[in-house]
Amino acid sequence: MQSYTEENYLKVIYHLSEISNPVQTNAIAERIQTKAASVTDMIKKLSEKELVNYVKYQGVTLTEKGKLTAINIVRKHRLWEVFLVDKLNFKWDEVHEVAEELEHIQSSLLIERLDEFLEFPKVDPHGDPIPDQHGNFAELAFVKLSKLSPSEKGTITGVSEHSSAFLKHLEKLGLTLGKRIEVLEVIEFDGSVALDVEQQKINISREVAKHILISKY
Amino acid sequence: MQSYTEENYLKVIYHLSEISNPVQTNAIAERIQTKAASVTDMIKKLSEKELVNYVKYQGVTLTEKGKLTAINIVRKHRLWEVFLVDKLNFKWDEVHEVAEELEHIQSSLLIERLDEFLEFPKVDPHGDPIPDQHGNFAELAFVKLSKLSPSEKGTITGVSEHSSAFLKHLEKLGLTLGKRIEVLEVIEFDGSVALDVEQQKINISREVAKHILISKY
DNA sequence: TTATTATTTTAGACAAATCTAAAAATTTTA
DNA sequence: TAAAATTTTTAGATTTGTCTAAAATAATAA
Ligand SMILES: [Mn+2]
Ligand SMILES: [Mn+2]
Ligand SMILES: [Mn+2]
Ligand SMILES: [Mn+2]
């Protein structure tokens, strides 16, 4: 069994792996709000436990065992987020902190029953996919809004940034999950995007567009 | 804010206070499955934080602040137990361990919303009362089954022992919450009790009778 | 390709929570 | 009330996760 702290490290390494592999010590330190020296210590420990492959000065990758462990934590995190929003009426920008704690509760019976109670949701309130108990994700066809060209249409199905500031901003703009959008123009100067959302013309920065996930159909 | 460990100590001291006040070091050690020396260390720390009053060699009592903190943890524990039984179909002997973890989740919004979602339950699955957010308990008139005399009648409304072994034993005997019982005889030799439960005559030990709570009406 | 800069690791220290063994205080027994 | 038994505390060590400061390695620039 892993400690609360080890689990947080594994999850962070898992998420960072999607950006760069192997994952660098400093990247982990920044995410986990700690010092590089502490990360090195923990990496050695996880390596001992065969949860990561570690080469000095090169960085870490998750082993199969480490990856499964990480995905299981992600599963729990996202299921709890669904519970908070669907059953307890939390807003999508209020759930992250609490789920960060709930994801560490150790009971597979609990999580399977929760999954059932929520009627086996496929995505969390931010549109992120929820893996099944074997660690498999249902394939979802996403594309970043920042990758679309003028006249392309689609539906907002997720976000890749979960800060309250970002989510509140989206809400204010009316850019919530399920909304149909069409790209009207991509401004050359700063990469910002003009959109049509329900007959309204809206402008968003490239930074914002990069974190909105669109499914085209 | 208190650590996970400090919270567990406060809760144990709270429960033991109902039996003997002040609470002895050894009693805490036994409950928390640790050594007396560790308890002394923790007591000093809680005393520093003004959560307990501590006199060397005499034992501890909770301060008002400590008591409120403890009751709040009890509140969370019992609400989560209701959730597990009512919503996730756990059996009453399966919930304790999980609630022992869930009670430490730090979010007052979460717990108030959970209370609402569960429709403000007054008792947990073991018949224990759930305090409100100010730490007040609704008065419940309980008496231990071991205190009843022959021909007295009542309804099983709680238990004061939560081990799986005990709860399974009760279940096997058909002694579950809500059942009407009548005391037929109290055996002088060993204090064991003969009961009538739904036209069935049942014998239970004094030890078992002490942990069954009856409301008379 | 050497020097500079950035990244990572080591060394040594610290706080939290625990332990064992021994000393001190209290309670019980005789 | 003095001796014995029990309970509690202290002293010192250990484990986990963290830190700062300094050394080692790798990447980048001149
Ligand atoms: Mn977490
Ligand atoms: Mn999410
Ligand atoms: Mn607990
Ligand atoms: Mn209970």
Side-chain angles (χ1 to χ4, degrees), chain A residues 42-54:
Chain A
M42 181 56 80
I43 281 170
K44 283 180 179 166
K45 194 176 154 195
L46 294 174
S47 179
E48 291 274 302
K49 294 191 173 188
E50 301 193 313
L51 293 160
V52 300
N53 302 117
Y54 170 50

Side-chain angles (χ1 to χ4, degrees), chain A residues 134-203:
Chain A
H134 309 296
N136 300 123
F137 290 89
E139 266 313 320
L140 298 171
F142 284 149
V143 59
K144 291 179 183 171
L145 175 45
S146 56
K147 297 282 182 191
L148 296 189
S149 309
S151 93
E152 285 195 278
K153 295 174 191 164
T155 305
I156 301 176
T157 41
V159 291
S160 58
E161 157 71 37
H162 295 168
S163 70
S164 188
F166 178 70
L167 298 175
K168 283 203 166 113
H169 180 53
L170 286 197
E171 199 120 12
K172 209 167 282 174
L173 294 170
L175 297 173
T176 47
L177 296 201
K179 286 281 173 70
R180 284 293 288 172
I181 59 101
E182 176 179 348
V183 173
L184 300 174
E185 191 184 353
V186 178
I187 315 302
E188 232 190 285
F189 171 61
D190 61 358
S192 68
V193 182
L195 295 176
D196 179 284
V197 191
E198 296 180 331
Q199 276 76 355
Q200 289 264 333
K201 186 177 170 180
I202 283 172
N203 270 77

